[in-house]
């Protein structure tokens, strides 16, 4: 293993032609230069210089090392500049894996502020429903995972398989709660109950339903059972835009998070609050050691800000 200080000193000795000249440039004493070159020669196992009168001549090994020294020092300088940029938040890459409605709402709002203030930061956006998003974090495929859970599910990740036996978050993960997302019912604009401000779930027991992802569907079936009925699920999809079109076409109605309502684009669909009030918890997850990575910590701060602006959802 070469000591980078010795390589830098060797490069200056070769450039300036003598130990004494290198000492003046580097601010060392000549004996210090001599000791460094002896240490470098011990590291490589062969002499690097031979005496030619009062001057120095490179040996064959010295010539070989001289050809590489400048490349080595340039690489070290580039690495130092990159690490300095990362530590000062001028640069960095953060991979975020989130579920669709978060990708359409929280992420754009957070990233707009982030990139305005730190244009050197690059964000890679992935999409997956929980628990897959958190599992991808554990596999090292992303740096931050956004996931949701419903009340009554054991642990922050419910039955997803990413919690410990007692329902706790794995010790290598940190959960950052972001917001409580109100659930609403999507109805065609001409539906008789669309005139109400809020709709009781039990008043919808005769309706046909469109269900979402496996986790949302499981929660939906559970809350319907608590209200005393089994819903008639005629269609299942986790595509939020498809759900809107299906509701507008009269295929069925759907239970949807308020985050979806904020980017709902179909004019023939409306959302109404549900009674009893139903919510899901939205959280960010990160590996504990990544909290010290400046760019990752900055993205988490912006996600908190974006979520705080939506606390009324």
């Amino acid at each position: 293993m070469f000591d980078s200080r010795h390589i830098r000193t060797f490069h200056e000795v070769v450039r300036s032609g003598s130990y004494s000249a290198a000492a003046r440039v580097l601010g060392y004493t000549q004996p210090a230069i001599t000791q460094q070159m002896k240490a470098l020669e011990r590291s490589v196992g062969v002499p690097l210089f031979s005496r030619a009168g009062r001057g120095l001549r490179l040996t064959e090994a010295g010539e070989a090392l001289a050809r590489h020294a400048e490349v080595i020092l340039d690489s070290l300088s580039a690495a130092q500049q990159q690490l300095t940029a990362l530590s000062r938040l001028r640069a960095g890459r953060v991979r975020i894996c989130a579920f669709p409605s978060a990708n359409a709402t929280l992420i754009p709002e957070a990233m707009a502020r982030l990139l305005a203030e730190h244009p050197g930061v690059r964000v890679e956006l992935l999409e997956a429903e929980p628990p897959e998003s958190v599992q991808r974090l554990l596999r090292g495929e992303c740096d931050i995972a956004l996931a949701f859970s419903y009340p009554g599910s054991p642990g922050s990740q419910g039955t997803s398989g990413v919690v410990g036996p007692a329902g706790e978050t794995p010790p290598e993960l940190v959960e950052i709660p972001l917001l409580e997302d109100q659930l609403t019912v999507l109805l065609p604009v001409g539906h008789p109950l669309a005139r109400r401000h809020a709709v009781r779930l039990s008043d919808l027991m005769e309706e046909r339903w469109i269900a979402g992802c496996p986790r949302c569907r499981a929660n939906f079936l559970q809350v319907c059972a608590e209200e005393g009925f089994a819903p008639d699920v005629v269609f299942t999809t986790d595509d939020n835009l498809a759900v809107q079109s299906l509701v507008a076409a009269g295929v069925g109605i759907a239970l949807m998070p308020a985050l979806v309502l904020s980017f709902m684009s179909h004019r023939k669909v409306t959302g109404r609050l549900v009674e009893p009030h139903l919510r899901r918890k939205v959280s960010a997850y990160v590996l504990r050691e990544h909290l010290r990575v400046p760019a990752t910590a900055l993205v988490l701060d912006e996600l908190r800000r974006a979520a705080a602006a939506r606390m009324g959802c």
Side-chain angles (χ1 to χ4, degrees):
M1 293 289 290
F2 296 147
D3 187 317
S4 61
R5 295 173 302 168
H6 297 166
I7 295 295
R8 186 170 286 105
T9 300
F10 170 79
H11 178 66
E12 185 57 39
V13 169
V14 173
R15 192 193 67 81
S16 58
S18 69
Y19 286 1
S20 57
R24 287 193 295 271
V25 171
L26 297 176
Y28 294 144
T29 63
Q30 183 170 330
I33 297 291
T34 301
Q35 292 301 316
Q36 287 192 44
M37 292 304 91
K38 286 182 179 179
L40 182 58
E41 288 178 331
R42 287 195 297 271
S43 296
V44 301
V46 291
L48 298 173
F49 300 99
S50 61
R51 286 287 177 182
R54 293 186 176 182
L56 293 174
R57 178 180 298 170
L58 289 170
T59 64
E60 184 178 359
E63 289 177 351
L65 182 58
R67 287 193 294 269
H68 292 286
E70 188 166 357
V71 175
I72 293 170
L73 293 174
D74 286 345
S75 295
L76 286 172
S77 177
Q80 185 176 23
Q81 291 174 15
Q82 184 175 1
L83 291 173
T84 299
L86 289 169
S87 67
R88 294 179 181 176
L89 290 177
R90 292 201 303 266
R93 182 187 69 145
V94 181
R95 300 165 299 166
I96 307 173
C97 186
F99 51 95
S101 56
N103 277 347
T105 53
L106 295 177
I107 298 298
E109 294 162 14
M111 294 308 99
R113 286 192 296 264
L114 171 73
L115 297 179
E117 297 177 9
H118 302 278
V121 176
R122 293 293 177 262
V123 177
E124 180 179 341
L125 187 57
L126 310 172
E127 184 169 290
E129 297 279 0
E132 177 60 23
S133 56
V134 181
Q135 290 170 349
R136 294 185 75 169
L137 174 63
L138 291 170
R139 293 197 298 265
E141 297 173 9
C142 62
D143 305 300
I144 298 172
L146 264 62
F148 58 84
S149 59
Y150 290 101
S153 59
S156 60
Q157 285 299 311
T159 58
S160 66
V162 297
V163 294
E168 73 280 2
T169 301
E172 65 269 31
L173 289 184
V174 175
E175 178 186 5
I176 298 98
L178 295 178
L179 59 83
E180 296 286 325
D181 193 13
Q182 175 80 48
L183 298 188
T184 59
V185 61
L186 289 191
L187 301 168
V189 290
H191 194 285
L193 296 179
R195 294 190 296 270
R196 298 183 182 178
H197 174 70
V199 180
R200 289 201 64 82
L201 194 60
S202 58
D203 291 340
L204 302 169
M205 64 174 59
E206 301 300 326
E207 299 282 346
R208 294 179 303 189
W209 290 87
I210 301 160
C213 70
R215 170 167 294 198
C216 296
R217 176 172 179 158
N219 177 73
F220 170 57
L221 295 176
Q222 177 183 327
V223 296
C224 287
E226 292 171 357
E227 289 298 303
F229 71 99
D232 178 17
V233 177
V234 296
F235 206 99
T236 300
T237 177
D238 58 3
D239 186 325
N240 292 318
L241 294 178
V243 171
Q244 294 179 42
S245 295
L246 289 164
V247 172
V251 173
I253 63 175
L255 198 64
M256 299 290 283
L259 281 178
V260 175
L261 294 186
S262 65
F263 63 90
M264 190 169 65
S265 59
H266 212 299
R267 292 177 297 173
K268 295 182 179 181
V269 175
T270 187
R272 291 293 179 265
L273 294 175
V274 177
E275 294 177 345
H277 294 307
L278 304 172
R279 293 179 180 270
R280 65 177 183 175
K281 181 173 69 170
V282 177
S283 297
Y285 293 83
V286 64
L287 292 173
R288 191 172 300 276
E289 63 267 24
H290 287 180
L291 286 173
R292 298 192 300 271
V293 177
T296 299
L298 184 64
V299 170
L300 289 171
D301 286 342
E302 293 299 345
L303 286 170
R304 289 189 189 98
R305 290 175 62 187
R310 287 182 165 270
M311 288 306 289
C313 289

